[in-house]
Amino acid sequence: MKRAFNYIMILVTLLSFGCTKNENKPCCEDIPLYYQMGAVPKMYNKMAVTPETQQAMSTEFKTKWDKAVADLELIGGRRLRSFDLNFISDNQLTITYSYTLTTGGLARAVVYYNYVVDNRGYLQISYASRDANGRVIAPGIFPIQEDYLERYKFRIDWIEDKIPGSTGKTAAYYKDGDATSYFYGSIIN
């Protein structure tokens, strides 16, 4: 596995020198995103998902998200705003949920996962632990966390097929076996 990872990293490094920037596409968009996304030293290690401002969310994801927003409001009036998916090592990632409190302040809850990405680019996460805030909001975020993100495998890819002419570094995670179910966000290195 380590040898395969090293070959992939060499390939990505070599190919990145041959990529040219285009006004409308990020560098190296021709390379499958799942080769480029992960913990450092990979090119992209974070994805920011903000469903309130993103127009092309899939119906299934949006339904689960809206249910989580409503359920979390029942826990002390908290309002779910966004989440970040952060790759922290070769086999661990975090999902950090951002939400507002009734006082207007912003709070965050971190959930830790083990993960694997198979040779087809499908991500599978398995729950490891959560911080204190994560324990408080767990019942509220169940629809998006346990009933969607933890339940399915997702193919990591660029979003361009759902948002024609999209610009910038935008990635999508497509549900295994159902490309009409996905979520997307800005990727960061």
Side-chain angles (χ1 to χ4, degrees):
M1 183 71 174
K2 184 78 171 167
R3 177 180 258 169
F5 176 76
N6 287 338
Y7 286 128
I8 290 170
M9 292 309 303
I10 290 169
L11 174 66
V12 169
T13 302
L14 291 173
L15 290 174
S16 68
F17 286 109
C19 292
T20 58
K21 280 209 168 196
N22 175 320
E23 256 181 60
N24 298 322
K25 289 188 172 184
C27 182
C28 302
E29 192 173 270
D30 296 334
I31 299 170
L33 183 57
Y34 69 90
Y35 285 133
Q36 301 178 64
M37 189 141 207
V40 172
K42 293 207 176 182
M43 187 173 293
Y44 306 110
N45 53 40
K46 180 178 179 180
M47 183 167 104
V49 181
T50 53
E52 290 183 344
T53 62
Q54 295 167 322
Q55 298 114 10
M57 289 294 177
S58 74
T59 301
E60 182 178 15
F61 176 85
K62 186 77 169 109
T63 300
K64 301 279 187 185
W65 180 262
D66 290 347
K67 175 79 169 117
V69 168
D71 289 356
L72 189 58
E73 285 203 20
L74 298 175
I75 302 174
R78 292 166 174 86
R79 174 92 176 147
L80 189 58
R81 297 293 182 188
S82 63
F83 69 90
D84 293 337
L85 193 144
N86 304 286
F87 291 89
I88 57 175
S89 74
D90 289 341
N91 62 0
Q92 293 181 317
L93 62 81
T94 62
I95 296 180
T96 304
Y97 295 92
S98 297
Y99 57 96
T100 52
L101 305 168
T102 55
T103 61
L106 183 66
R108 290 184 175 81
V110 181
V111 183
Y112 298 86
Y113 293 96
N114 296 314
Y115 78 91
V116 293
V117 177
D118 68 20
N119 60 359
R120 300 176 308 134
Y122 285 87
L123 171 79
Q124 176 74 58
I125 63 174
S126 58
Y127 172 81
S129 65
R130 65 183 95 229
D131 68 5
N133 284 348
R135 286 188 290 280
V136 170
I137 71 165
I141 62 173
F142 175 87
I144 198 67
Q145 180 187 341
E146 294 178 42
D147 198 30
Y148 191 73
L149 299 174
E150 293 175 11
R151 188 174 186 182
Y152 302 107
K153 290 168 81 171
F154 294 90
R155 179 176 50 88
I156 304 169
D157 209 345
W158 300 103
I159 188 67
E160 192 169 358
D161 67 321
K162 301 292 181 199
I163 307 174
S166 65
T167 59
K169 299 174 184 174
T170 307
Y173 283 60
Y174 297 93
K175 187 171 116 178
D176 187 14
D178 182 3
T180 66
S181 181
Y182 61 91
F183 62 97
Y184 72 96
S186 300
I187 54 175
I188 303 160
N189 50 344

